[in-house]
């Protein structure tokens, strides 16, 4: 309600989001109301001159010139797409796909379906850019001495999310990353590379940072930078001539 101060509304939304079952169903139900108009929106976008660019799991990040989609879509700037279901998009219709911190919100089976669908809707030679938390980074917080950036990242997470024991704790950070925000499956480089290859992608490589050499992806990210960007796994891959493995 407009009479509730913005700071209080944000706290209520955060509480609902972190115990999300009811809130999730509410937002998805609202988004599904946009489905009847979705086909026309997609068709009009694809009828425009290319390149055709698809963002999956947009959140609030709207990129000009892209088809921006999300489970919690707010039309007309976003269209409703559920990454756990086949995408209602034509074969070989997109030149690039960008997905930032979305694949970890679905389980590995749905993640494999998502990547197979991405391969299907990409044109030959099209590319995908994925950013997701890096499991290796967080696991190493428990086993290695922390350098300055990791120490600051641990301190910030514990301070922001209320670590109950007070002191900075890598254990708290690892559990928070794995259990909060609706995360369901956290990837490392080896697993995500193998998943991409199984789904038919080639020229798979880890990017040294968020920025990409591809002009379509260059600084496309809409998320606030982390203190230590090594916590993110950034991968790019290309659709080759072969198909996905069965």
């Amino acid at each position: 309600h407009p009479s509730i101060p913005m700071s209080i509304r944000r706290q209520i939304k955060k509480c609902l989001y972190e115990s999300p079952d009811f809130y999730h169903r509410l937002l998805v139900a609202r988004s599904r109301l946009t489905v009847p108009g979705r086909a026309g929106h997609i068709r009009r976008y694809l009828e425009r001159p290319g390149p055709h660019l698809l963002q999956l799991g947009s959140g609030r990040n709207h990129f000009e010139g892209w088809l921006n989609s999300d489970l919690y879509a707010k039309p007309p700037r976003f269209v409703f797409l559920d990454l756990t279901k086949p995408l209602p998009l034509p074969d070989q219709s997109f030149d690039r796909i960008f997905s930032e911190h979305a694949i970890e919100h679905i389980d590995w089976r749905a993640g494999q379906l998502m990547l197979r669908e991405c391969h299907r809707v990409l044109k030959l030679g099209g590319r995908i850019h994925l950013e997701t938390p890096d499991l290796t980074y967080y696991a190493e917080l428990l086993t290695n001495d922390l350098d300055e950036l990791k120490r600051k990242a641990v301190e910030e997470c514990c301070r922001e999310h209320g670590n109950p024991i007070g002191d900075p704790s890598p254990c708290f950070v690892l559990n928070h990353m794995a259990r909060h925000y609706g995360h369901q499956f956290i990837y490392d480089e080896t697993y995500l590379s193998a998943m991409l290859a199984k789904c038919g992608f080639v020229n798979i490589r880890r990017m040294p940072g968020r920025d990409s050499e591809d002009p379509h992806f260059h600084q496309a990210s809409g998320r606030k930078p982390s203190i230590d960007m090594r916590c993110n796994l950034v991968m790019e891959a290309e659709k080759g001539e072969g198909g996905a493995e069965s």
Side-chain angles (χ1 to χ4, degrees):
H1 191 278
S3 64
I4 302 175
M6 180 60 71
S7 60
I8 301 299
R9 279 186 270 167
R10 286 175 180 156
Q11 290 180 35
I12 293 171
K13 188 172 182 179
K14 182 175 184 291
C15 290
L16 288 168
Y17 185 64
E18 293 193 349
S19 47
D21 195 45
F22 171 75
Y23 189 53
H24 167 80
R25 290 199 299 270
L26 178 66
L27 290 177
V28 171
R30 183 189 66 182
S31 296
R32 286 189 184 279
L33 296 176
T34 71
V35 170
R38 177 178 62 182
H41 187 108
I42 293 170
R43 185 185 67 255
R44 288 189 295 273
Y45 176 82
L46 292 175
E47 287 173 349
R48 295 165 43 181
H52 295 123
L53 313 168
L54 173 64
Q55 183 183 189
L56 298 175
S58 302
R60 298 178 180 177
N61 303 322
H62 181 272
F63 302 154
E64 290 299 327
W66 292 66
L67 182 67
N68 299 281
S69 70
D70 197 74
L71 184 65
Y72 308 141
K74 294 183 179 180
R77 286 158 56 88
F78 302 90
V79 297
F80 171 78
L81 289 182
D82 183 348
L83 298 180
T84 68
K85 304 287 194 302
L87 300 177
L89 303 170
D91 293 354
Q92 302 188 61
S93 51
F94 287 88
D95 299 277
R96 298 290 186 274
I97 295 176
F98 180 92
S99 183
E100 179 183 58
H101 288 271
I103 195 170
E104 69 272 15
H105 290 268
I106 56 181
D107 66 29
W108 68 267
R109 294 176 183 84
Q112 185 177 42
L113 172 63
M114 168 188 161
L115 295 179
R116 286 180 183 272
E117 285 292 283
C118 288
H119 185 272
R120 177 183 65 79
V121 305
L122 275 172
K123 298 175 184 176
L124 185 64
R127 296 188 61 79
I128 186 171
H129 177 105
L130 296 167
E131 182 174 330
T132 187
D134 183 1
L135 181 62
T136 299
Y137 173 91
Y138 287 95
E140 286 178 348
L141 296 180
L142 300 176
T143 58
N144 295 343
D145 293 333
L146 303 186
D147 60 26
E148 184 65 13
L149 279 178
K150 284 184 176 179
R151 183 182 62 78
K152 288 183 178 179
V154 169
E155 290 175 352
E156 181 192 48
C157 179
C158 290
R159 180 174 59 252
E160 182 176 348
H161 299 289
N163 174 27
I165 66 171
D167 294 333
S169 167
C171 176
F172 177 85
V173 174
L174 175 59
N175 277 279
H176 185 270
M177 182 278 304
R179 302 285 294 177
H180 283 68
Y181 312 117
H183 290 175
Q184 295 196 41
F185 193 93
I186 310 300
Y187 294 83
D188 66 5
E189 181 180 352
T190 300
Y191 198 94
L192 186 54
S193 296
M195 185 80 85
L196 284 162
K198 186 175 181 64
C199 293
F201 288 95
V202 298
N203 298 330
I204 301 163
R205 65 187 182 114
R206 179 171 188 163
M207 308 303 293
R210 173 174 283 179
D211 291 346
S212 172
E213 298 169 0
D214 188 305
H216 298 295
F217 296 141
H218 183 59
Q219 294 183 332
S221 174
R223 291 176 62 90
K224 173 185 173 183
S226 303
I227 285 179
D228 188 355
M229 291 304 298
R230 295 172 299 176
C231 68
N232 294 320
L233 175 61
V234 183
M235 304 286 292
E236 288 189 5
E238 182 178 320
K239 177 173 180 173
E241 296 184 359
E245 297 179 20
S246 59

